[in-house]
């Protein structure tokens, strides 16, 4: 992650994603610029083209909040992207606590007592810091249950395991960027390793998309029990900055519920 001109890189990447018609321009087959031109963003935001160019080039380092909000509207950013824009625009106003990588014994005990619910703790850079037995059983097919980004982008079983791999990969990259301010050093390590080894990750990271992953339905093809759909929820661990408790629940009476129960059974453990 290059912090030299993070704001400019973000603006350029997001400008390229906005369709030209959002600037009241008719589609032009001869148009060479993907997305909006700089002058179009400036016009929509109500600032001079020269000022906007200086923002992208990193020659203007002190934009006002009003200017950034106006640019966010011009780029049609959602709430998560606006929050990210303000963080990188005003880094001194968003101090962060040092992330905690040790999982409290009480939290581990809570997960262990959730016998029928897969649960695990994710920390800086999407490292898996702790997990209960059922969560480990869900991810049994991977070479290691250690870092969600490494598993998704580098483990060869991932594209078979995740039925919606493309969406999972995009969501994971967006979530990593959303969590980056809370764990800059570890995020840089993960981004550096993945960018070299995974062209898919490098392409997604270059889009500068951002969005915290809080709840969704995840569809897996488990090597032991077959296809299973689980509802994912991410809960902030208030006592440990940078940690999130991830839990999976299942629709009662569904085929996924029966398959999850099979994973949780002592008979399944004995077979393994």
């Amino acid at each position: 992650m290059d912090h030299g001109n993070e704001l400019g890189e973000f603006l350029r990447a997001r400008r390229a994603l906005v369709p030209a018609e959002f600037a009241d321009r008719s589609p032009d087959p001869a148009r060479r610029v993907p997305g909006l031109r700089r002058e179009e963003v400036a016009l929509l935001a109500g600032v001079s083209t020269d000022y906007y160019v200086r923002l992208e080039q990193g020659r203007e380092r002190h934009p006002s909040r009003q200017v950034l909000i106006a640019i966010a509207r011009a780029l049609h950013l959602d709430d998560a992207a606006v929050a990210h824009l303000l963080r990188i625009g005003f880094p001194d106003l968003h101090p962060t606590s040092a992330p905690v990588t040790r999982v409290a014994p009480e939290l581990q005990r809570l997960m262990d007592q959730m016998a029928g619910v897969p649960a695990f703790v994710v920390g800086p850079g999407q490292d898996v810091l702790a997990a209960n037995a059922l969560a480990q059983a869900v991810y049994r097919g991977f070479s290691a249950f250690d870092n969600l980004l490494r598993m998704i982008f580098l483990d060869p079983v991932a594209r078979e395991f995740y039925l919606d791999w493309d969406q999972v990969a995009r969501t994971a990259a967006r979530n990593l960027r959303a969590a980056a301010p809370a764990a800059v050093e570890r995020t840089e390590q993960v981004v550096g390793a993945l960018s070299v080894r995974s062209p898919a990750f490098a392409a997604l990271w270059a889009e500068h998309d951002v969005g915290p992953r809080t709840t969704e339905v995840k569809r897996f093809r488990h090597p032991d029990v077959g296809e299973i759909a689980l509802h994912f929820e991410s809960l902030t661990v208030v006592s440990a900055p940078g940690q999130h408790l991830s839990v999976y629940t299942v629709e009662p009476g569904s085929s996924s519920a029966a398959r999850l129960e099979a994973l949780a059974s002592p008979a399944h453990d004995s077979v393994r």
Side-chain angles (χ1 to χ4, degrees), residues 38-249:
R38 287 170 170 172
E39 57 268 26
E40 292 169 342
V41 176
L43 180 63
L44 291 170
V47 300
S48 71
T49 299
D50 177 69
Y51 183 82
Y52 181 77
V53 169
R54 286 189 283 120
L55 274 178
E56 280 203 1
Q57 293 178 344
R59 294 187 289 120
E60 171 55 60
R61 299 282 184 168
H62 303 287
S64 68
R65 179 183 176 87
Q66 290 80 1
V67 165
L68 290 185
I69 292 296
I71 291 173
R73 293 196 191 100
L75 297 177
H76 293 265
L77 302 183
D78 61 19
D79 290 345
V82 172
H84 181 73
L85 175 62
L86 294 176
R87 280 197 300 269
I88 60 179
F90 304 106
D92 294 339
L93 299 181
H94 296 84
T96 57
S97 303
V100 177
T101 57
R102 177 180 174 274
V103 174
E106 295 80 8
L107 182 55
Q108 180 67 65
R109 183 163 62 245
L110 170 65
M111 291 190 295
D112 290 342
Q113 292 176 357
M114 299 165 63
V117 177
F120 55 98
V121 177
V122 175
Q126 299 299 289
D127 290 322
V128 178
L129 303 180
N132 66 7
L134 189 51
Q136 294 177 39
V138 168
Y139 288 97
R140 185 194 62 77
F142 287 86
S143 59
F145 186 24
D146 55 357
N147 179 280
L148 297 179
L149 274 295
R150 184 206 65 78
M151 293 163 64
I152 291 168
F153 287 98
L154 299 182
D155 198 304
V157 309
R159 290 179 183 265
E160 178 70 17
F161 179 77
Y162 294 104
L163 295 177
D164 309 300
W165 185 89
D166 288 338
Q167 182 59 42
V168 168
R170 179 171 295 279
T171 299
R174 295 176 74 239
N175 183 57
L176 181 64
R177 189 175 293 281
V184 174
E185 183 177 355
R186 179 55 182 150
T187 301
E188 288 178 342
Q189 294 171 350
V190 173
V191 169
L194 290 176
S195 296
V196 171
R197 300 176 62 189
S198 172
F201 174 82
L204 288 171
W205 192 250
E207 292 181 5
H208 284 256
D209 200 2
V210 55
R213 180 185 59 188
T214 56
T215 181
E216 62 182 317
V217 174
K218 307 195 76 163
R219 299 169 60 241
F220 304 140
R221 182 181 292 110
H222 194 276
D224 292 344
V225 299
E227 294 187 12
I228 185 169
L230 300 175
H231 179 82
F232 168 83
E233 196 80 31
S234 178
L235 308 172
T236 299
V237 180
V238 178
S239 60
Q243 291 186 14
H244 292 83
L245 174 62
S246 299
V247 295
Y248 290 135
T249 58

